[in-house]
Amino acid sequence: MSKSDLGNLKKKIMNELQSYGVQLYQFPTEDEEVGEINASLNARLPFAVVGSTEDVKIGNRMVKARSYPWGSVQVENEEHCDFVHLREMLLRVNMDDLREQTHFRHYELYRRCKLEEMGFKDTDPDSQSFSLQEMYEAKRKEFLKELQHREESMRQMFVNKVKETEAELKEKEKELHERFEQLKRMHQEEKKNLEEKRRELEEEMNAFNRRRVAAETLMGQALQGCSHQPLKKEKDKKK
């Protein structure tokens, strides 16, 4: 990329950043010692930086560079890229300002946003300052009160759940007791029926035994009668 192409690309990037409302860090120019340096550095934004981990021999020395068929791009050559200016600006000239900006602007803005999300503000609705400790204590009491309310709600919910479970268990116990009584009655009825059938069977067996004894008696008498008749006939013949 030629210098003219690089300059046009930087202008295009800056125009896009400005059109989208992107705020860039501007190096301070109020300080007399570094104001002129920072003004020249601000004019170079955005920086075109080339990085490399390769050591390339340029002349009699080894430098960090990128090798191409048409030549080498040196990382620390101001004619090739803005790496030296970026390093100078961040690590040597404006380190203290960057730290202050980070702490007093970005961190404070972050802290204020987080506190506002938690309900803390630097001023009350009447735009009057107040003690953050008092605000903390008030928020803490409010949180403990809400926590106690939730705990009481959970306890009451647990009690209601236990009562519902006890009612369900009592209902199940009642159903089981009724089922047991029903089975008990059925068992008693079946036992009664079996006793009746047993008595009927015993009566039938007794009647059968009586008939059998009577039949045996009659048979015995008939046999005895048959045995006396031949003896009488022989007596008649002798006479």
Side-chain angles (χ1 to χ4, degrees):
M1 182 178 294
S2 63
K3 290 186 177 181
S4 59
D5 293 337
L6 181 60
N8 293 330
L9 179 61
K10 286 186 175 185
K11 291 180 181 179
K12 182 179 179 181
I13 293 174
M14 290 298 295
N15 292 332
E16 291 183 357
L17 293 174
Q18 292 175 0
S19 64
Y20 287 105
V22 179
Q23 297 181 1
L24 297 180
Y25 172 75
Q26 296 291 323
F27 299 99
T29 57
E30 295 82 5
D31 193 345
E32 295 180 357
E33 296 181 0
V34 297
E36 185 177 352
I37 299 175
N38 286 338
S40 62
L41 292 175
N42 288 333
R44 302 181 71 95
L45 293 174
F47 293 110
V49 179
V50 174
S52 176
T53 59
E54 298 180 1
D55 293 325
V56 179
K57 188 174 183 180
I58 305 295
N60 296 326
R61 59 192 183 96
M62 301 294 293
V63 297
K64 297 292 184 183
R66 288 187 182 184
S67 297
Y68 296 95
W70 45 263
S72 299
V73 178
Q74 300 178 32
V75 173
E76 297 186 3
N77 190 334
E78 297 181 9
E79 297 295 327
H80 293 179
C81 70
D82 296 328
F83 174 79
V84 174
H85 299 288
L86 178 62
R87 181 181 62 187
E88 187 79 10
M89 183 176 61
L90 295 179
L91 301 180
R92 296 180 181 177
V93 180
N94 298 291
M95 174 63 73
D96 293 337
D97 183 72
L98 284 171
R99 293 174 61 184
E100 292 178 359
Q101 288 285 340
T102 301
H103 178 74
F104 293 105
R105 182 177 180 181
H106 301 293
Y107 173 72
E108 285 299 321
L109 179 61
Y110 167 80
R111 185 183 66 85
R112 178 175 296 181
C113 292
K114 286 298 180 182
L115 289 175
E116 289 180 355
E117 290 178 2
M118 298 171 60
F120 299 97
K121 294 183 179 180
D122 294 337
T123 58
D124 59 10
D126 298 331
S127 298
Q128 297 180 358
S129 61
F130 60 92
S131 174
L132 185 62
Q133 182 67 24
E134 295 177 358
M135 185 65 180
Y136 169 76
E137 292 295 336
K139 286 292 181 181
R140 183 173 180 272
K141 291 180 180 179
E142 182 179 353
F143 173 76
L144 292 177
K145 184 177 180 180
E146 183 180 358
L147 184 63
Q148 184 179 3
H149 176 69
R150 290 184 179 181
E151 184 179 357
E152 186 65 27
S153 300
M154 292 181 65
R155 185 183 295 108
Q156 187 63 34
M157 186 183 302
F158 176 75
V159 172
N160 295 336
K161 192 66 176 179
V162 171
K163 290 182 179 179
E164 293 177 0
T165 305
E166 289 179 351
E168 292 177 358
L169 291 176
K170 288 181 179 180
E171 187 67 23
K172 294 292 184 182
E173 183 180 1
K174 183 179 179 181
E175 294 178 359
L176 290 174
H177 183 70
E178 292 178 355
R179 181 63 178 172
F180 173 76
E181 292 295 332
Q182 183 180 2
L183 293 174
K184 185 177 179 181
R185 290 192 298 270
M186 293 175 61
H187 175 70
Q188 291 176 353
E189 291 178 358
E190 291 179 356
K191 184 178 180 180
K192 183 178 180 180
N193 293 333
L194 290 175
E195 289 293 334
E196 292 179 356
K197 290 182 179 180
R198 185 178 65 80
R199 286 194 297 270
E200 292 176 357
L201 183 59
E202 289 179 351
E203 291 177 358
E204 290 179 359
M205 291 177 63
N206 293 332
F208 174 77
N209 290 331
R210 288 193 296 270
R211 289 194 298 270
R212 183 174 62 79
V213 171
E216 290 177 351
T217 303
L218 292 174
M219 186 176 292
Q221 290 176 358
L223 293 174
Q224 187 177 4
C226 291
S227 62
H228 289 310
Q229 285 181 359
L231 293 174
K232 186 176 181 181
K233 289 180 179 180
E234 290 178 358
K235 288 181 179 179
D236 292 337
K237 288 180 180 180
K238 289 179 180 180
K239 290 179 178 182

